[in-house]
Amino acid sequence: DAGVIQSPRHEVTEMGQEVTLRCKPISGHDYLFWYRQTMMRGLELLIYFNNNVPIDDSGMPEDRFSAKMPNASFSTLKIQPSEPRDSAVYFCASSSHGQANSPLHFGNGTRLTVT
Amino acid sequence: RKEVEQDPGPFNVPEGATVAFNCTYSNSASQSFFWYRQDCRKEPKLLMSVYSSGNEDGRFTAQLNRASQYISLLIRDSKLSDSATYLCVVSRSNDYKLSFGAGTTVTVRA
């Protein structure tokens, strides 16, 4: 089991640039989540998908953020244009469906720094 | 009011000691409860689910108090490797959104 795979591990970019974060969930998992973690706000859910369909994007900060899941094995989180306050660790997680106590499996995260 | 609140600590304890801490949640409709562990600069990982009757997993014991809306985690005979941040996680049954607490940091010293 390869686990949830995220790329890149680190991203440093300048304000105004487009940033794309990538995630490959665990095969067979029906749910995919994007989280953001900062010291000030902790772990925040941005958006989650079920069977590739976005279910709840109420956590997406603003229109600069968008997420897609074109198929069961791939998702992207895009920030355009990026701002310094977007600097954080972005985690992707997946879980299997239909189980109330199904744990989240997190990827290693992408550490984003916007200068 | 935050949905999940934790004492941030840090709890500094010697090896072999017992350490315990709580987490409170605001939504009385919450149905599922978990403790996750996060090591420094790593991803969170599930430590254990928390069941209504309380449950143990080796040196770890979790309790749920629905009346007072809190869950607890107790670590017995603490090891150096238990040093981490422990995240309290709560979810409602009607969706899969998990609410994470900010975490309680535990440092076990030799």
Side-chain angles (χ1 to χ4, degrees), chain A residues 9-10 31 33 35 37 40 42-43 45 48 56 58 91 95-104 106-108 111, chain B residues 2 31-34 36 38 41-46 49-51 87 91-92 94-102:
Chain A
R9 289 296 305 275
H10 302 274
Y31 285 83
F33 304 79
Y35 283 88
Q37 187 174 38
M40 290 295 294
L43 262 171
L45 177 65
Y48 79 96
D56 188 337
S58 59
F91 287 105
S95 69
S96 56
H97 79 288
Q99 299 176 31
N101 287 313
S102 176
L104 289 184
F106 284 84
N108 291 331
R111 186 171 297 273
Chain B
K2 290 183 180 179
Q31 294 294 324
S32 298
F33 309 88
F34 311 89
Y36 277 70
Q38 187 172 24
R41 301 179 77 84
K42 298 285 190 180
E43 74 275 19
K45 292 183 179 179
L46 178 67
S49 301
V50 185
Y51 302 119
L87 304 172
S91 79
R92 297 168 293 186
N94 59 339
D95 61 34
Y96 283 80
K97 291 175 66 172
L98 300 183
S99 295
F100 283 77

Side-chain angles (χ1 to χ4, degrees), chain B residues 17-93:
Chain B
T18 295
V19 59
F21 42 89
N22 294 339
C23 151
T24 59
Y25 59 94
S26 61
N27 189 339
S28 60
S30 299
Q31 294 294 324
S32 298
F33 309 88
F34 311 89
W35 285 103
Y36 277 70
R37 170 196 170 124
Q38 187 172 24
D39 293 318
C40 187
R41 301 179 77 84
K42 298 285 190 180
E43 74 275 19
K45 292 183 179 179
L46 178 67
L47 177 66
M48 60 194 300
S49 301
V50 185
Y51 302 119
S52 296
S53 56
N55 48 295
E56 280 190 15
D57 183 0
R59 297 180 294 105
F60 297 83
T61 301
Q63 296 280 352
L64 168 63
N65 185 317
R66 286 190 183 275
S68 300
Q69 294 184 205
Y70 74 86
I71 66 174
S72 64
L73 181 66
L74 182 145
I75 308 173
R76 286 186 303 277
D77 188 23
S78 53
K79 313 290 185 190
L80 294 176
S81 58
D82 295 334
S83 298
T85 297
Y86 292 85
L87 304 172
C88 172
V89 186
V90 173
S91 79
R92 297 168 293 186
S93 61

Side-chain angles (χ1 to χ4, degrees), chain A residues 3-78:
Chain A
V4 176
I5 300 173
Q6 290 187 246
S7 65
R9 289 296 305 275
H10 302 274
E11 177 80 36
V12 180
T13 191
E14 291 184 348
M15 178 178 172
Q17 297 298 306
E18 178 180 295
V19 175
T20 300
L21 311 181
R22 297 173 176 80
C23 175
K24 176 179 169 56
I26 292 173
S27 177
H29 280 189
D30 291 12
Y31 285 83
L32 183 141
F33 304 79
W34 282 101
Y35 283 88
R36 176 172 69 176
Q37 187 174 38
T38 61
M39 289 291 291
M40 290 295 294
R41 301 171 70 92
L43 262 171
E44 301 173 281
L45 177 65
L46 301 177
I47 184 172
Y48 79 96
F49 296 82
N50 176 213
N51 291 321
N52 313 338
V53 176
I55 303 300
D56 188 337
D57 65 354
S58 59
M60 296 285 260
E62 47 198 273
D63 291 346
R64 298 184 297 106
F65 285 68
S66 62
K68 294 182 179 179
M69 192 166 185
N71 57 62
S73 60
F74 184 65
S75 177
T76 60
L77 177 68
K78 186 175 292 186

